C-alpha cells in the first residue's frame, strides 16, 4: 500500500509538470475559446463532475455534520473576509515605500478582498482526505456571500453555483442511495477522478496565464510579484495551520486541511468580473489584474505540490489520535 501510494504521488507530480509544460508549449489549445473550450468543459462540466463525485463518495451524515459545524465555518469566513484583506493591507503599507509599481500593489489589495473559489479548494481537500463536506459548504457559501454583495450580477452567480455545485451534489447523493452497497464493495477511485480533474484545471489555468497579454511586465517586477504572492500563500497556510492545530482548538486534522485550503484560496472566476466592473474604464486595469491572474495558478500549483506532505501529516495525526484513545 505504501509503495502504491508513493507511486501515485510521483505520477501526480509528473502530471503537474507535464500539464504546465504542455500549457507553455501550446497555450492556445486550453485557453478560453480554444479547442478544449474550458469556459464550458472546466467551468461547468469539470466543476459539476467534482461535486457529483463528492455527492457519490460522501455519506449523508458527513454532509449534515459539516453543515452544523458552526465554529469551523466562522473560522474560515472570518479569516477569508476579514483577517486576509486586513493583513494584506498592513503588509502593503510596508511595500508602499519600495519601488514596486503602485498599481500592482493595488492589485494585491484586491486579491485579499476576493471570495474563495468553488472548485480548487474542494479538490485539494479531497486529494488530501480532509473534511471535504466542510470545504464544499465554505467554498460555495463564501463565493455566494461576497459575490452577492458586490456589483457582479446576483442571478448569474446564484444560477452558476446552483447548477454546478448544488444540483450535481444532490444527484450524487440520490444515486449513492441506490448503489451504496456497490460503492462500499468496489470502492471506486474517487481520488483518481479528482486528481485528473485537478490536472485539467492546472493545464487550462496555465494556458490562460501563458497566453494572457495583460501579464506583460519587466522580469524584475514579475519575479518580485511571484515571490510576494508565494510568500503570502505560504505564510497564510502556515498561519491557518498554527491557529487550527493549537490545543483546545476543537478542530480535527481533517478540519485543518479544509481550513488551510478554503481560507487561503481566491476566485479568479468571480474576481476578474468584479475587477472589470469596479475599475471599468480605468487605464491601469491590466496592471491591477496581474496579481490575481498570477495568484490563481500559483495557489493551485502550490496546493498540488503540498498535497503529499499535508496528507502524510494528517494520516500520522489521525493514527496518533487513535493510539492515544483509551480503550473501553
Amino acid at each position: 500500500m505504501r509503495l502504491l501510494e508513493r507511486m501515485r504521488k510521483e505520477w501526480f507530480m509528473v502530471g503537474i509538470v507535464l500539464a504546465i509544460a504542455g500549457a507553455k508549449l501550446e497555450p492556445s489549445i486550453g485557453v478560453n475559446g480554444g479547442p478544449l473550450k474550458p469556459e464550458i468543459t472546466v467551468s461547468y462540466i469539470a466543476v459539476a463532475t467534482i461535486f457529483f463525485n463528492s455527492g457519490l463518495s460522501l455519506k449523508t451524515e458527513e454532509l449534515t455534520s459539516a453543515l452544523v459545524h458552526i465554529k469551523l465555518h466562522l473560522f474560515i469566513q472570518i479569516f477569508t473576509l476579514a483577517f486576509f484583506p486586513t493583513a494584506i493591507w498592513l503588509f502593503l503599507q510596508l511595500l508602499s515605500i519600495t519601488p514596486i509599481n503602485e498599481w500592482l500593489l493595488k492589485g494585491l489589495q484586491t486579491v485579499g478582498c476576493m471570495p474563495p473559489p468553488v472548485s480548487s479548494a474542494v479538490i485539494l481537500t479531497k486529494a488530501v482526505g480532509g473534511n471535504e463536506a466542510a470545504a464544499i459548504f465554505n467554498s460555495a457559501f463564501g463565493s455566494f456571500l461576497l459575490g452577492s454583495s458586490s456589483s457582479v450580477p446576483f442571478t448569474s452567480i446564484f444560477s452558476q453555483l446552483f447548477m454546478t455545485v448544488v444540483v450535481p451534489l444532490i444527484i450524487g447523493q440520490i444515486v449513492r442511495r441506490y448503489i451504496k452497497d456497490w460503492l462500499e464493495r468496489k470502492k471506486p477511485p474517487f481520488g483518481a477522478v479528482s486528481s485528473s480533474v485537478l490536472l485539467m484545471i492546472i493545464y487550462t489555468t496555465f494556458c490562460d496565464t501563458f497566453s494572457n497579454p495583460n501579464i506583460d511586465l519587466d522580469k524584475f517586477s514579475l519575479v518580485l510579484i511571484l515571490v510576494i504572492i508565494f510568500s503570502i500563500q505560504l505564510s497564510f497556510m502556515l498561519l491557518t495551520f498554527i491557529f487550527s492545530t493549537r490545543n483546545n482548538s476543537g478542530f480535527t486534522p481533517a478540519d485543518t486541511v479544509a481550513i488551510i485550503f478554503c481560507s487561503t484560496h481566491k476566485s479568479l472566476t468571480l474576481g476578474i468580473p468584479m475587477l472589470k466592473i469596479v475599475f471599468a474604464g480605468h487605464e491601469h486595469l491590466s496592471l491591477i489584474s496581474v496579481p490575481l491572474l498570477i495568484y490563481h495558478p500559483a495557489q493551485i500549483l502550490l496546493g498540488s505540490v503540498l498535497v503529499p506532505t499535508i496528507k502524510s501529516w494528517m494520516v500520522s495525526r489521525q493514527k496518533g489520535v487513535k493510539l492515544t484513545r483509551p480503550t473501553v
Side-chain angles (χ1 to χ4, degrees):
M1 284 295 290
R2 286 183 180 177
L3 179 62
L4 183 61
E5 186 64 28
R6 191 167 141 196
M7 288 176 64
R8 283 176 183 166
K9 291 177 185 176
E10 290 174 354
W11 277 111
F12 183 64
M13 296 304 295
V14 170
I16 292 174
V17 173
L18 290 176
I20 296 173
K24 178 65 176 174
L25 288 172
E26 194 54 63
S28 60
I29 295 175
V31 296
N32 284 341
L36 283 183
K37 299 289 182 186
E39 65 273 17
I40 298 171
T41 56
V42 173
S43 298
Y44 289 92
I45 298 174
V47 173
T49 300
I50 292 166
F51 289 99
F52 175 73
N53 192 30
S54 296
L56 272 181
S57 60
L58 284 170
K59 296 175 181 177
T60 304
E61 20 321 352
E62 290 176 329
L63 282 171
T64 53
S65 175
L67 193 63
V68 296
H69 199 337
I70 305 300
K71 185 177 180 179
L72 175 62
H73 305 326
L74 284 174
F75 182 100
I76 292 174
Q77 298 306 322
I78 290 172
F79 192 96
T80 303
L81 304 177
F83 181 85
F84 198 120
T86 303
I88 290 291
W89 181 82
L90 291 172
F91 179 52
L92 292 181
Q93 302 313 300
L94 296 175
L95 291 181
S96 63
I97 62 174
T98 67
I100 302 174
N101 187 293
E102 65 172 305
W103 299 107
L104 289 177
L105 295 182
K106 288 186 184 296
L108 279 172
Q109 181 66 71
T110 63
V111 168
C113 300
M114 292 300 160
V118 172
S119 55
S120 61
V122 175
I123 297 176
L124 291 168
T125 300
K126 185 179 182 67
V128 173
N131 191 336
E132 183 186 352
I136 290 171
F137 176 83
N138 281 282
S139 295
F141 180 75
S143 294
F144 178 78
L145 182 67
L146 196 53
S148 62
S149 64
S150 69
S151 303
V152 180
F154 173 82
T155 51
S156 65
I157 294 171
F158 180 80
S159 60
Q160 184 171 356
L161 286 175
F162 185 76
M163 293 306 297
T164 58
V165 177
V166 180
V167 171
L169 189 66
I170 292 173
I171 292 174
Q173 283 283 286
I174 292 171
V175 173
R176 178 182 172 82
R177 286 179 174 236
Y178 291 99
I179 61 171
K180 183 179 178 181
D181 292 337
W182 181 84
L183 289 171
E184 291 177 354
R185 189 171 64 253
K186 294 293 185 181
K187 299 188 182 302
F190 292 118
V193 173
S194 295
S195 296
S196 300
V197 174
L198 180 56
L199 288 175
M200 183 180 179
I201 291 173
I202 291 172
Y203 172 70
T204 55
T205 299
F206 275 89
C207 282
D208 269 337
T209 302
F210 290 135
S211 63
N212 198 309
N214 290 331
I215 306 180
D216 186 21
L217 300 173
D218 59 275
K219 288 183 179 179
F220 174 75
S221 297
L222 184 59
V223 170
L224 200 57
I225 287 296
L226 279 169
V227 171
I228 290 170
I229 285 174
F230 274 108
S231 299
I232 288 171
Q233 289 184 6
L234 280 170
S235 299
F236 283 177
M237 290 177 84
L238 182 60
L239 272 177
T240 54
F241 177 80
I242 292 170
F243 289 158
S244 61
T245 55
R246 70 189 191 283
N247 291 336
N248 302 319
S249 68
F251 299 126
T252 66
D255 291 339
T256 294
V257 173
I259 287 170
I260 288 173
F261 292 124
C262 292
S263 301
T264 59
H265 279 214
K266 297 295 180 179
S267 174
L268 182 70
T269 307
L270 278 174
I272 291 299
M274 287 170 68
L275 286 179
K276 287 182 177 178
I277 290 170
V278 174
F279 295 99
H282 200 291
E283 60 178 321
H284 296 293
L285 175 59
S286 60
L287 278 175
I288 294 170
S289 304
V290 166
L292 182 58
L293 292 169
I294 295 175
Y295 194 98
H296 181 68
Q299 70 188 5
I300 295 174
L301 177 61
L302 183 62
S304 302
V305 169
L306 290 176
V307 160
T309 303
I310 298 174
K311 186 170 186 175
S312 297
W313 168 82
M314 190 192 75
V315 170
S316 66
R317 278 294 296 269
Q318 288 175 331
K319 285 180 179 177
V321 170
K322 288 178 182 178
L323 288 174
T324 55
R325 219 174 253 168
T327 54
V328 179

